[in-house]
Amino acid sequence: VQVTGSDRVGRGDDVIAAVPAVARAFEQWVSPYLAVMRAVAVREVGAADGDDLVQDALIRAWRRRETFRPDRGSIKSWLIAILMDQARRRRTRLRDPRLHHVPYQGVSGPEDGDRLDVEDAIRRLPMRQRQVVTMFYLADLPIDEVAAVLSLRPGSVKAHLARARETLRTLLETQ
Amino acid sequence: MNGDGMDDQPTADLETTLTAWGRAAVRTEEQSPRSYASATSQVPRPRRAILASAAAITALASTVAIWNSRETHSPPPAALTPAPCQQQFGTGRVDSEFQSLPPTITVALTYAGNGRCTIDAHAPHLELRDSKQRVLLEQDQSATYDLRRIKSSWGVSEPRPTSTPSTCSLRRRMQTTASRYLSNKRFPRCSLYRAAAKARSARYPTFDGALELPWLENGRPVRAWLWIRPASGSAVDWTTGSQASFDDCGADHLARVHHSEHGS
């Protein structure tokens, strides 16, 4: 293996062993939010790309971990904001109209019938309303953090949420 | 739920329904564990490792070491062939079982014992194709030709041969594309490795390394590495080992493959 001399600083297990602590700290930091991140991700870009989106978001989080400010929001909202930004970038980059519709089909299983109805109803919402519902009910973020994540004003979040509820109420009643 | 005051208060039923939906959605993900981050604790300890730089010590990148394949995998004893490698894959051609992950490598296969296959890709032709049979990497083509082929396949902007920005742009695009090899849902994710790979490759474009690809052996995912050394551009070696699961995607290596291919 060829390594340029200036890059080589050490070798062997003694050095290697000292490194993962940084990674483990980050891992412990983000681990509690991986499930919710993926749940949001698959609803943003679909099940097939959800994992990639989470990965991209974690990459960015790793790189920008120094920029997290606990006084400006929770870790969860910070991670989800990154995730949503990556989803937006992905949509823009790929310009794939399919990505503007969420192909997530939920889970299978007879016990999930009600949930699939809700999933289907939410999927029919306009994108912004769907995102607000996802942030509020799935990610369980408070209104001000939903607003921060989606770059909206809190009043707009409430308005989107109200319209979404109205639509969902109608959809679920007719199912 | 959140408890924020709403202008319109939802009915209790709807609120309960949506709350239950949200919790069930997260619970479903919690019950299907993935290792986005946990791969960091499963880095195999190489016999001999070289760290990238002082900066890399503080970065996750350095948890993934560069291996010396010639030391890690001894030449296979001739007495052990014919071997399950050939039986599994067929001599001279390796097809992934994954339609979405189909590395097609024209190589020779030998059995190294202990369930290990050595895939000798010193043959002049080596290529990786995606699921639509588009060429991702061609060992026997020049970097310029490679770029144009990939440009035509992926629609990225025409790279100017001496333009670093174009090359970097293409490299990033290729990383994203090639990383999809590792993104099959059958395998755990290695986002931290990817992060490390990108961070390291941006700083140290001259590194050589290896590309780890999905692999199945007897229906079980194993590790496989493709080694490329930029100095010669031709020393390529495939190795697989039926050790553990496919927990470390090794995407750290992925970036260096692109660097090697592009002669950065």
Side-chain angles (χ1 to χ4, degrees):
Chain A
V1 176
Q2 297 179 353
V3 181
T4 56
S6 59
D7 291 333
R8 184 184 301 183
V9 296
R11 66 172 60 176
D13 292 353
D14 54 338
V15 182
I16 291 281
V19 176
V22 179
R24 275 198 294 272
F26 182 76
E27 179 181 335
Q28 291 171 1
W29 200 56
V30 302
S31 288
Y33 310 107
L34 292 180
V36 69
M37 287 178 74
R38 188 172 189 280
V40 171
V42 298
R43 286 160 180 83
E44 279 297 302
V45 298
D49 290 329
D51 286 322
D52 276 354
L53 180 59
V54 173
Q55 286 200 59
D56 289 343
L58 288 172
I59 289 169
R60 199 164 183 81
W62 165 258
R63 284 178 169 172
R64 297 190 163 209
R65 63 194 185 279
E66 304 294 341
T67 67
F68 172 70
R69 297 286 179 273
D71 56 315
R72 296 173 62 180
S74 64
I75 297 173
K76 181 166 68 175
S77 67
W78 182 72
L79 289 171
I80 290 177
I82 293 173
L83 182 86
M84 296 299 284
D85 185 56
Q86 291 295 309
R88 181 186 57 77
R89 288 167 183 259
R90 180 176 288 249
R91 281 192 292 266
T92 302
R93 185 173 66 244
L94 298 180
R95 287 186 171 82
D96 185 344
R98 291 173 301 175
L99 291 178
H100 294 283
H101 304 283
V102 179
Y104 182 68
Q105 297 299 318
V107 297
S108 59
E111 73 281 7
D112 294 314
D114 291 344
R115 192 179 142 201
L116 286 178
D117 288 344
V118 177
E119 194 80 54
D120 184 59
I122 291 172
R123 195 165 56 239
R124 294 188 195 185
L125 293 172
M127 185 171 78
R128 188 58 96 186
Q129 290 182 30
R130 172 171 49 78
Q131 288 176 332
V132 168
V133 167
T134 303
M135 294 298 107
F136 188 74
Y137 287 102
L138 191 154
D140 201 16
L141 297 178
I143 290 292
D144 59 336
E145 292 193 1
V146 174
V149 165
L150 298 177
S151 299
L152 296 171
R153 292 191 302 182
S156 297
V157 172
K158 292 178 182 178
H160 283 303
L161 204 48
R163 283 194 288 271
R165 284 175 180 141
E166 189 60 36
T167 305
L168 289 172
R169 189 177 293 117
T170 303
L171 286 172
L172 292 172
E173 284 174 357
T174 57
Q175 281 182 346
Chain B
M1 188 46 72
N2 294 282
D4 291 77
M6 295 288 105
D7 290 338
D8 97 311
Q9 287 299 323
T11 62
D13 283 351
L14 180 61
E15 189 72 4
T16 302
T17 299
L18 292 175
T19 300
W21 163 78
R23 288 177 178 165
V26 175
R27 192 164 56 244
T28 297
E29 298 300 335
E30 289 171 343
Q31 291 169 348
S32 56
R34 295 162 195 277
S35 50
Y36 295 104
S38 61
T40 55
S41 61
Q42 299 167 10
V43 177
R45 187 70 59 89
R47 287 173 52 198
R48 172 180 154 185
I50 300 173
L51 289 183
S53 72
I57 292 177
T58 59
L60 181 61
S62 52
T63 64
V64 180
I66 299 172
W67 293 24
N68 184 320
S69 59
R70 284 179 296 191
E71 289 191 2
T72 305
H73 301 281
S74 303
L80 292 176
T81 59
C85 304
Q86 283 89 337
Q87 294 167 12
Q88 182 75 20
F89 300 118
T91 302
R93 183 176 173 82
V94 181
D95 285 325
S96 166
E97 290 189 33
F98 306 111
Q99 288 191 348
S100 60
L101 310 167
T104 299
I105 293 81
T106 304
V107 290
L109 295 165
T110 51
Y111 185 54
N114 299 322
R116 293 189 172 197
C117 302
T118 297
I119 305 167
D120 183 2
H122 289 269
H125 182 69
L126 182 150
E127 64 184 25
L128 303 178
R129 292 175 181 270
D130 70 0
S131 58
K132 295 181 179 177
Q133 293 302 304
R134 292 175 292 203
V135 175
L136 294 180
L137 301 174
E138 280 187 317
Q139 171 66 21
D140 58 343
Q141 298 292 345
S142 70
T144 301
Y145 182 73
D146 238 349
L147 295 176
R148 288 177 180 166
R149 286 294 298 273
I150 291 166
K151 174 255 174 186
S152 62
S153 295
W154 298 97
V156 298
S157 59
E158 178 73 39
R160 287 167 291 177
T162 58
S163 167
T164 300
S166 293
T167 303
C168 290
S169 173
L170 180 64
R171 182 161 55 235
R172 283 198 296 273
R173 183 66 171 262
M174 286 185 65
Q175 282 179 327
T176 300
T177 302
S179 65
R180 288 180 173 277
Y181 276 113
L182 308 174
S183 297
N184 186 288
K185 64 182 68 173
R186 297 188 189 212
F187 296 112
R189 297 301 191 270
C190 299
S191 56
L192 297 184
Y193 286 159
R194 265 210 226 168
K198 291 183 179 179
R200 179 190 277 186
S201 63
R203 284 182 190 160
Y204 309 106
T206 58
F207 267 82
D208 63 357
L211 165 65
E212 187 168 354
L213 290 177
W215 203 267
L216 272 191
E217 190 171 280
N218 299 319
R220 182 166 169 235
V222 296
R223 292 178 176 136
W225 292 275
L226 166 64
W227 295 87
I228 294 181
R229 293 172 185 169
S232 67
S234 60
V236 182
D237 183 33
W238 273 85
T239 53
T240 67
S242 55
Q243 33 186 321
S245 60
F246 209 90
D247 281 332
D248 60 323
C249 303
D252 179 49
H253 306 313
L254 195 59
R256 292 197 295 273
V257 170
H258 297 314
H259 286 300
S260 302
E261 287 290 308
H262 297 160
S264 304

